Amino acid sequence: MAELPYYIPVDEALNIVHSFPLPTRIEHVGLDHASGRVLATELKSNVNDPPFDNSSMDGFACSYDGQTVHDSYHVIGLVQAAKDEQTLDVKQGEAVRIMTGAPLPDGCNAIIPIEQTETIDETTVRFLNPPKTNFVRYKGENIKQGDVGLTKGTYLGPAQLGMCATMGYATVPVFERFRIGILSTGDELKPPGEPLAYGEIYESNSFGLASLVQWLGHESKRYPAVHDSKEALVGALDVAAAECDLILTSGGVSMGEFDHVRHVMEEQGDLKFWRVKIRPGSPPLFGFWKGTPIFGLPGNPVSSHVVFRMIVAPYVRSSLGSTQPIEQKARAKVRDIIKGTADCLTLRRVILKHTDEGYHAFQPKHQGSGNLDSLSAADGLTLLPPGHDPNIDEWIDVLVL
Ligand code: AMP
Ligand code: MG
């Protein structure tokens, strides 16, 4: 048997998970339900947009030959958006009152905005400036019929949803959401709302992870926390594997005697790697349980969150050929002492302040991997490569949250 990749760089972990993409399914959904989904095919426009030359201003349309300017113009009619077609023959010295979005009358090539005109009487208007061939939106200038407006894998945010509608689609083919099961493990975990007994803490990871799953656009299924017993864990994993496309566990992957996730994966699972050079969050594992991919995330709340962002999210996105929703990388100037680590990609939680020269990064909070407050208060995560301790005023990469 090939040796299990152990304590590998983040890039190597990503290469491994990317070689096991989640199987996808396609469904057709109405635009009302397509926000945050990922397109399963490219979309070509059903129409020219705009479908006809039209005015981008309220004003007057006229024919301008590039030189002749009349003292005043005779107003021969009015065109409005989406009204019956009119056959107006507009000659030199004549103008048509036109509303935004109304089709440009034949022969016209210039729009004079209403603010740049003076009404003399009901049928006479004067232009305060010489006409220009401006403010015309030409047929197909946004997109031409048959052109690809959105590519496969596009994340449907507000602008992209608008494009679907503009191109004439009432429903769109999207990838089905993955159902992602979340199992936290640990005898000490109590659901919030119940009183804590000695030695107990509130279970928080499953809520944070469920929110991350939803942010990625998928369905989260939170299971009750599992006790630190092999039998309980195996039973819970069997249920989750049958019900979900992907399983996330938290806790139980370190060196402890009761870290059963690692033990049962070693004994009964199909393990692909264990431990990654990432701080916080070095203990994660990846593999399959009864054919279903599983990430064993660390128990510490900051660690599980960080590993989700750095490894789970890229895996889920790449399974759909999508890179979004976007997390922006930016440069930030270090303004507090921030420590890297010898061999890990180090993600410190920083507060970012925007300044004239760009972001400044501060680290006011205790950085323990159990200190969820440091994450909740943060705007960014440092992306310090292994062996890098930045100096004050040095510019570093950060992930903007
Ligand atoms: P473990 O990896 O199971 O040893 O957990 C590491 C630390 O994270 C311990 O202090 C746990 O109490 C804590 N922890 C584990 N799971 C959770 C959870 N679901 N919510 C909050 N804290 C947790
Ligand atoms: Mg534990």
Side-chain angles (χ1 to χ4, degrees):
M1 197 182 98
E3 213 169 296
L4 178 72
Y6 174 79
Y7 202 38
I8 51 177
V10 173
D11 284 347
E12 205 177 315
L14 286 172
N15 283 341
I16 293 174
V17 298
H18 288 335
S19 65
F20 300 101
L22 292 163
T24 57
R25 299 173 296 265
I26 295 178
E27 62 179 334
H28 289 78
V29 300
L31 289 193
D32 282 325
H33 304 285
S35 185
R37 306 296 293 273
V38 176
L39 262 189
T41 65
E42 67 177 21
L43 287 189
K44 291 181 177 165
S45 184
N46 289 328
V47 292
N48 286 302
D49 182 69
F52 44 84
D53 297 347
N54 68 86
S55 175
S56 70
M57 287 286 188
D58 288 319
F60 289 88
C62 72
S63 159
Y64 181 54
D65 62 7
Q67 48 193 5
T68 319
V69 181
H70 303 271
D71 284 342
S72 63
Y73 289 74
H74 180 55
V75 181
I76 62 162
L78 178 149
V79 283
Q80 228 173 312
K83 290 288 171 205
D84 288 345
E85 193 173 348
Q86 299 188 41
T87 43
L88 289 166
D89 182 17
V90 186
K91 301 195 191 68
Q92 275 294 321
E94 292 178 340
V96 175
R97 179 82 173 95
I98 193 165
M99 307 302 163
T100 303
L104 198 68
D106 285 345
C108 292
N109 62 351
I111 305 289
I112 296 83
I114 193 86
E115 302 87 326
Q116 297 172 24
T117 67
E118 184 187 354
T119 303
I120 307 294
D121 59 42
E122 249 170 52
T123 57
T124 318
V125 67
R126 180 179 296 147
F127 299 156
L128 303 179
N129 301 308
K132 283 188 213 152
T133 50
N134 283 353
F135 305 118
V136 177
R137 299 191 285 218
Y138 293 99
K139 174 177 171 175
E141 74 172 22
N142 182 36
I143 188 162
K144 293 190 174 49
Q145 187 171 16
D147 280 0
V148 175
L150 295 169
T151 53
K152 180 178 172 179
T154 296
Y155 179 85
L156 297 176
Q160 295 74 24
L161 277 176
M163 268 299 279
C164 294
T166 296
M167 296 191 295
Y169 290 90
T171 61
V172 283
V174 294
F175 289 115
E176 272 187 28
R177 287 193 170 101
F178 294 126
R179 177 184 265 208
I180 302 184
I182 301 165
L183 274 176
S184 45
T185 69
D187 286 341
E188 73 282 27
L189 304 176
K190 238 332 164 31
E194 294 181 18
L196 291 177
Y198 175 74
E200 292 180 336
I201 59 166
Y202 286 125
E203 193 284 301
S204 64
N205 286 350
S206 70
F207 297 97
L209 291 170
S211 175
L212 282 164
V213 165
Q214 290 156 26
W215 163 73
L216 267 189
H218 298 279
E219 186 193 335
S220 58
K221 181 160 175 54
R222 265 184 351 94
Y223 291 93
V226 185
H227 280 284
D228 286 323
S229 102
K230 277 194 188 176
E231 296 68 38
L233 181 61
V234 166
L237 287 176
D238 284 350
V239 171
E243 294 180 344
C244 300
D245 299 301
L246 171 66
I247 304 170
L248 308 178
T249 63
S250 83
V253 282
S254 312
M255 309 291 197
E257 213 171 304
F258 302 104
D259 285 335
H260 292 308
V261 175
R262 176 170 72 83
H263 294 134
V264 303
M265 278 300 291
E266 275 171 345
E267 290 158 14
Q268 303 175 45
D270 177 8
L271 204 50
K272 299 298 181 193
F273 67 70
W274 177 39
R275 304 202 69 215
V276 178
K277 293 182 179 172
I278 182 170
R279 185 79 63 85
S282 55
L285 60 77
F286 173 74
F288 288 81
W289 183 266
K290 312 259 160 88
T292 301
I294 173 170
F295 284 93
L297 303 179
N300 278 306
V302 180
S303 305
S304 62
H305 185 109
V306 161
V307 174
F308 185 101
R309 282 198 183 261
M310 299 307 292
I311 302 176
V312 181
Y315 170 63
V316 173
R317 288 176 184 142
S318 80
S319 293
L320 301 182
S322 170
T323 54
Q324 300 207 26
I326 277 187
E327 285 165 311
Q328 296 282 2
K329 274 187 197 171
R331 300 285 284 167
K333 194 179 197 177
V334 169
R335 299 308 309 274
D336 282 334
I337 292 170
I338 297 178
K339 284 204 174 313
T341 54
D343 53 359
C344 289
L345 173 70
T346 304
L347 300 116
R348 302 294 181 205
R349 280 72 70 203
V350 289
I351 289 175
L352 299 174
K353 295 237 156 68
H354 195 261
T355 74
D356 287 347
E357 60 174 353
Y359 283 129
H360 284 186
F362 298 87
Q363 188 201 271
K365 297 278 183 175
H366 188 272
Q367 295 285 305
S369 56
N371 295 107
L372 197 51
D373 180 47
S374 68
L375 185 62
S376 144
D379 309 299
L381 297 172
T382 65
L383 295 168
L384 294 174
H388 190 81
D389 277 313
N391 297 316
I392 296 279
D393 288 346
E394 187 176 327
W395 290 87
I396 59 164
D397 282 341
V398 293
L399 191 74
V400 180
L401 298 176

